Amino acid sequence: MRRRIRGVLAVCAGALLLTSGVGATGGRSGRADDNGVGLKPLLGWSSWSFVRSDPTARTIEAQAKALKDSGLAKNGFVYVDVDDFWYRCPGSQGPDVDQYGRWVTDPVEFPPRGAENGIQVVADYVHSLGLKFGLYVTPGISKQAVARNTAIKGSRYHARDIATTTKESNYNCGGMVGIDYAEPGARTYLDSWAGQFAGWGIDYLKIDGVGTSDQQDVRAWSDALRHTGRPIHLELSNSLDIDNAATWKELSNGWRTGGDIECYCGADSGSYPLTTWASVASRFDQVAAWAPYGGPGGYNDYDSLEIGNGDNDGLTPDERRTQMSLWSLAAAPLVLGTDLTRLDPLDLALLKNTDVLGVDQDGVDAERISSDASSQVFAKTEPDGDVVVGLFNTGPAPREVATSAAALGLPSARGYALRDLWSRRLTESAGRFAADVPPHGVVLYRVTVTGAARGGE
C-alpha cells in the first residue's frame, strides 16, 4: 500500500506546485521547488562525458543541432548543458575574473560577437533551435578576485570583505575559496553573478563540488537565481550527503547522489568507453536509498545516461536497457553524455521509446521490492493504478527473476495483463510475474489488473 500511496502523492504534489505561485520571484524565500522548473525529471544532454575538458562554441552548437535533428528534442530532450572548462583558467591561482570577481569566458573557445559574451552567443543559438541552455560553476570566489580585491557590483564592498581562507573545490584549475555569508556584500556578489548568467540566457545551472559544508552557498545561489526573475533549473553535484537530503530538495531541482558514471578508462585518456557495467550497477543501492526524496520540484540525479554511441557507450545492448530502465523507474533526470553527432540507430530507438520515457516522466520514485546476489526488483504505482516493475538480472548468467502481485501492492484479482515496455509484447498472469532475463539485463513490465477481484474485493 505504501508504494501505491507514493504514486498518488507525487501527482498531488505536482498539482500543488502548478497552482501555488511558481513564479521565479514569488513563494517562499530560498526554495527551488516553486521556481517554475523541475516539475518533471529533466531531459537533455551534457558536455562532460564525451566532450570533457575541450568544450568549444562550435562543438556545443553541433551537439545542439544534432539533438534537434535526431528527433530527440521532440521526445523532450531539450537541455544543452555546458559543463566545466568554459572559463579562462590560467593556473592554480583560480579562474580568471572580471572587474566584479566573476569568471571570465574563454574568448578563444567561445568567441564573443561584438559586445555579446561568447557564452551568450551559444545560448542564443541553442534557443534559436527551441532548446534550453545550461552552464556550470563551483562554490566560492576565485583567489584572483581576492588578490585583486575586485569590487562587488551593486555595493560598496569588495572581494576581501567576503572571502574566507577555506578551500573550495574546483576541478579545472582550483584556486577557489569560501564566502562568509554573514558579511555584507556576500549575497550581493552572487546576485551579481546570477544576474549575469540570466542576462546570458541560461536556463540551467550546475554547481559542482558541493559538500555538506556548502549548504550556505547552495542557499545563496538558490536565492540569487530566483532574484533574477528567470526560471533557472538548479542542479547540485556530486555525491551529496543523504543525511541532508531535505536541504538539497528544499534548495535545488536536482542533486547527484554519487560519483561520476564515467569510467575514465579510455586509451590515451580518450572519452571512450564512456562507462562500464560496474558504474551502472553501483546505482541500484543509491536508487533504493534515495527513493523517498525525489518528486515534483526536485529529483535524485544518478548522473548521465550513457546511451547513444553503440559499443563506445561501454555497455552491451542489455546493459543499456538496464540503465535506462533503472533511471526511468527512479524518475531521474535523463541527461545524455554521448556524442549526438554520431548516434547509433539501436541506441536512438531505445532513447525514443515513449513507453519507457513515460515511466521516467511520471515523476514517481520506484521502491526496491527485493534483491539477492544476482537480481533486483524495483516497482512503482502509476497514477492510473497500474504498476511498473523492473526485473533486473545483475549477474553474469541468464536467470529467472520473479515477483508477485501481492509484493507489488496490487489488489487480489483473477488476472493481470503484462506489457513488456521494451519488446511491447503482451502476456497475462494469474499473479506471479516472472521472466527469463539475460545477463545484466532487464524485463520492464507495466502491470494492469484485468480480472474481477477475488472474494468480492
Side-chain angles (χ1 to χ4, degrees):
M1 181 60 71
R2 187 158 53 97
R3 285 183 290 278
R4 295 177 64 81
I5 290 173
R6 170 168 289 166
V8 173
L9 286 176
V11 174
C12 291
L16 286 171
L17 286 169
L18 287 168
T19 59
S20 60
V22 297
T25 58
R28 297 156 291 184
S29 175
R31 291 192 66 93
D33 63 1
D34 59 354
N35 64 356
V37 296
L39 299 181
K40 292 183 178 181
L42 180 146
L43 306 180
W45 175 85
S46 168
S47 65
W48 182 250
S49 294
F50 172 68
V51 177
R52 302 233 171 130
S53 59
D54 300 305
T56 67
R58 180 174 296 181
T59 299
I60 301 305
E61 290 177 357
Q63 296 292 328
K65 185 175 187 299
L67 189 64
K68 182 176 181 179
D69 291 348
S70 66
L72 285 167
K74 291 183 179 179
N75 290 102
F77 291 87
V78 296
Y79 281 85
V80 176
D81 303 330
V82 178
D83 207 88
D84 204 355
F85 290 82
W86 62 268
Y87 48 93
R88 196 159 59 191
C89 204
S92 60
Q93 66 268 42
D96 201 1
V97 297
D98 66 10
Q99 70 270 35
Y100 298 120
R102 306 168 301 194
W103 292 357
V104 170
T105 301
D106 186 331
V108 176
E109 306 301 349
F110 294 90
R113 183 172 56 202
E116 191 175 27
N117 184 279
I119 290 295
Q120 186 175 355
V121 173
V122 177
D124 287 348
Y125 177 78
V126 170
H127 291 149
S128 76
L129 299 176
L131 306 175
K132 296 181 181 295
F133 181 77
L135 205 57
Y136 170 106
V137 295
T138 57
I141 185 170
S142 174
K143 286 183 179 179
Q144 288 211 56
V146 180
R148 291 163 48 187
N149 199 27
T150 53
I152 295 173
K153 186 177 182 180
S155 81
R156 59 186 179 86
Y157 300 101
H158 294 76
R160 292 176 193 166
D161 295 322
I162 66 171
T164 73
T165 58
T166 303
K167 181 180 178 180
E168 289 283 4
S169 295
N170 181 279
Y171 305 111
N172 185 343
C173 52
M176 296 291 288
V177 294
I179 295 173
D180 184 349
Y181 288 99
E183 292 293 336
R187 288 180 175 268
T188 306
Y189 169 67
L190 286 195
D191 282 344
S192 166
W193 206 355
Q196 181 184 62
F197 286 161
W200 291 350
I202 76 162
D203 307 293
Y204 168 106
L205 183 67
K206 172 182 172 180
I207 308 179
D208 203 1
V210 174
T212 300
S213 62
D214 294 310
Q215 292 181 60
Q216 283 190 311
D217 291 86
V218 174
R219 186 174 297 278
W221 269 111
S222 181
D223 285 343
L225 293 175
R226 292 172 57 82
H227 295 161
T228 69
R230 182 180 182 86
I232 298 174
H233 179 111
L234 178 59
E235 193 80 10
L236 309 179
S237 182
N238 61 23
S239 299
L240 274 293
D241 177 8
I242 196 169
D243 291 338
N244 289 292
T247 297
W248 313 134
K249 183 172 179 63
E250 175 192 355
L251 300 176
S252 70
N253 302 114
W255 44 89
R256 282 271 303 281
T257 63
D260 290 354
I261 194 78
E262 296 83 8
C263 65
Y264 304 112
C265 56
D268 300 320
S269 301
S271 298
Y272 296 137
L274 296 171
T275 191
T276 62
W277 167 248
S279 292
V280 172
S282 70
R283 268 52 182 184
F284 282 100
D285 286 346
Q286 291 179 32
V287 171
W290 285 83
Y293 304 107
Y299 292 93
N300 303 311
D301 184 347
Y302 303 106
D303 207 6
S304 297
L305 195 64
E306 305 295 15
I307 300 173
N309 294 148
D311 291 341
N312 285 327
D313 298 338
L315 304 172
T316 68
D318 286 322
E319 290 167 350
R320 292 170 222 165
R321 292 185 188 91
T322 288
Q323 191 193 11
M324 188 163 172
S325 297
L326 182 62
W327 268 235
S328 296
L329 280 163
L334 303 182
V335 179
L336 305 176
T338 42
D339 180 3
L340 301 181
T341 67
R342 292 177 173 84
L343 285 169
D344 173 81
L346 171 62
D347 284 6
L348 184 58
L350 298 181
L351 295 171
K352 288 185 174 183
N353 185 313
T354 55
D355 289 333
V356 179
L357 288 173
V359 173
D360 179 74
Q361 293 295 287
D362 64 21
V364 180
D365 278 63
E367 295 183 13
R368 182 155 60 188
I369 307 303
S370 64
S371 65
D372 60 30
S374 62
S375 75
Q376 303 261 349
V377 177
F378 282 80
K380 60 181 173 181
T381 301
E382 298 286 63
D384 63 2
D386 286 357
V387 168
V388 178
V389 57
L391 306 177
F392 295 94
N393 176 4
T394 57
R399 62 159 289 176
E400 181 188 73
V401 182
T403 189
S404 67
L408 302 183
L410 284 163
S412 178
R414 296 186 182 278
Y416 305 87
L418 279 63
R419 176 176 171 82
D420 186 322
L421 299 186
W422 286 116
S423 71
R424 293 190 165 91
R425 288 193 297 268
L426 291 171
T427 56
E428 293 185 353
S429 171
R432 183 176 186 267
F433 312 137
D436 293 324
V437 186
H440 301 171
V442 63
V443 171
L444 187 64
Y445 284 135
R446 186 180 186 104
V447 184
T448 304
V449 177
T450 58
R454 292 192 183 101
E457 294 179 9

